[in-house]
Amino acid sequence: MKILLIEDDREAASYLIQALDEAGHVTHHATDGETGYAMASGMDYDVLIVDRMLPRRDGLSIVESLRAEGDKTPVLILSALGEVDDRVTGLRAGGDDYLTKPYAFTELLARIEVLARRSSPSEAATVYEVGGLSLDRLSRKVERDGETILLQPREFRLLEYLMKNAGKVVTRTMLLENVWDYHFDPQTNVIDVHMSRLRAKIDKGHANPLLQTVRGAGYMIRD
């Protein structure tokens, strides 16, 4: 998922961003309400994680403005205010879920995954399959013809994105933005290196290669 975290506690945000990255998600971060609102308005995200108390603009104001504009992106509100009235206020402001601090990361992760599935039925699939290759997004297990394939986190994210778009050409720009979270071309061979490693792991020893290079366009995975 592509997530926007609006959190002014830099230490908490750093921990959360690292944990989400390890879980295979791309996270953008804003440290104040005005910047967070601008990012939420200007880019598409699968889920927003919004702290309630923020400098420059509070979290509930952000959510209310987004909802008034017709933005239906799922929002998880984080807050140290955990009374029933506080939670009700957050939900009535337009939040889809409310999590009280301190929280366990595993619970936060489960909550945002549920929110994403509710908003995007097409994302509900937890297993992608192409030919004899399967990828389980929850267990993070990859197999081809029943044999387990061990992937590094970035390789897993790369394969997940390719399989999500199976049968379609995926450009370098799409990969840089969705797998590496770059919004510019770093002018390196990082994609080529990872593609080579991934191809060696999923296609080596098989007569039918699944990962294909579309010259001048990008990459594609298909039967």
Side-chain angles (χ1 to χ4, degrees):
M1 291 184 288
K2 188 174 181 180
I3 300 165
L4 174 61
L5 171 64
I6 310 177
E7 168 64 82
D8 61 320
D9 185 329
R10 293 180 183 273
E11 184 177 351
S14 177
Y15 166 77
L16 188 52
I17 291 169
Q18 181 179 346
L20 288 169
D21 180 74
E22 292 173 353
H25 304 300
V26 173
T27 307
H28 294 175
H29 178 218
T31 57
D32 66 80
E34 285 294 347
T35 301
Y37 173 68
M39 293 174 68
S41 299
M43 298 184 68
D44 292 327
Y45 292 98
D46 297 305
V47 175
L48 307 180
I49 302 175
V50 182
D51 186 30
R52 181 166 177 167
M53 305 298 290
L54 293 164
R56 300 184 65 198
R57 183 171 187 171
D58 71 271
L60 298 191
S61 170
I62 295 171
V63 178
E64 288 172 337
S65 295
L66 292 173
R67 295 300 186 240
E69 295 164 3
D71 190 325
K72 298 181 180 179
T73 305
V75 175
L76 172 64
I77 297 173
L78 300 180
S79 178
L81 304 175
E83 297 298 325
V84 172
D85 288 347
D86 297 319
R87 298 197 298 271
V88 170
T89 300
L91 296 173
R92 285 180 173 170
D96 297 278
D97 200 354
Y98 193 104
L99 186 60
T100 303
K101 298 180 178 180
Y103 54 82
F105 173 72
T106 50
E107 181 180 2
L108 180 144
L109 182 61
R111 286 173 181 262
I112 62 173
E113 287 175 344
V114 168
L115 292 179
R117 288 200 298 271
R118 287 176 183 168
S119 65
S120 302
S122 62
E123 290 289 315
T126 58
V127 178
Y128 295 135
E129 295 184 352
V130 177
L133 181 67
S134 68
L135 178 148
D136 189 316
R137 298 170 63 200
L138 297 183
S139 68
R140 304 185 70 78
K141 186 176 181 180
V142 177
E143 293 182 340
R144 182 163 185 185
D145 297 334
E147 294 185 6
T148 299
I149 300 172
L150 301 178
L151 299 179
Q152 295 298 315
R154 188 76 65 178
E155 294 169 345
F156 184 92
R157 186 183 296 175
L158 176 58
L159 181 60
E160 179 184 14
Y161 188 75
L162 289 165
M163 294 185 74
K164 176 183 175 182
N165 294 280
K168 303 175 185 177
V169 174
V170 175
T171 67
R172 289 179 60 88
T173 298
M174 292 167 67
L175 291 173
L176 287 170
E177 291 186 351
N178 291 280
V179 179
W180 277 268
D181 195 26
Y182 291 159
H183 295 278
F184 62 95
D185 191 337
Q187 301 297 318
T188 69
N189 65 343
V190 62
I191 292 179
D192 304 304
V193 170
H194 279 78
M195 280 294 183
S196 178
R197 291 174 179 169
L198 185 59
R199 182 178 280 116
K201 290 186 177 183
I202 68 173
D203 283 336
K204 186 177 181 180
H206 295 275
N208 176 34
L210 301 176
L211 183 54
Q212 302 175 18
T213 300
V214 182
R215 191 172 299 277
Y219 301 90
M220 179 189 298
I221 192 164
R222 64 182 180 188
D223 289 342

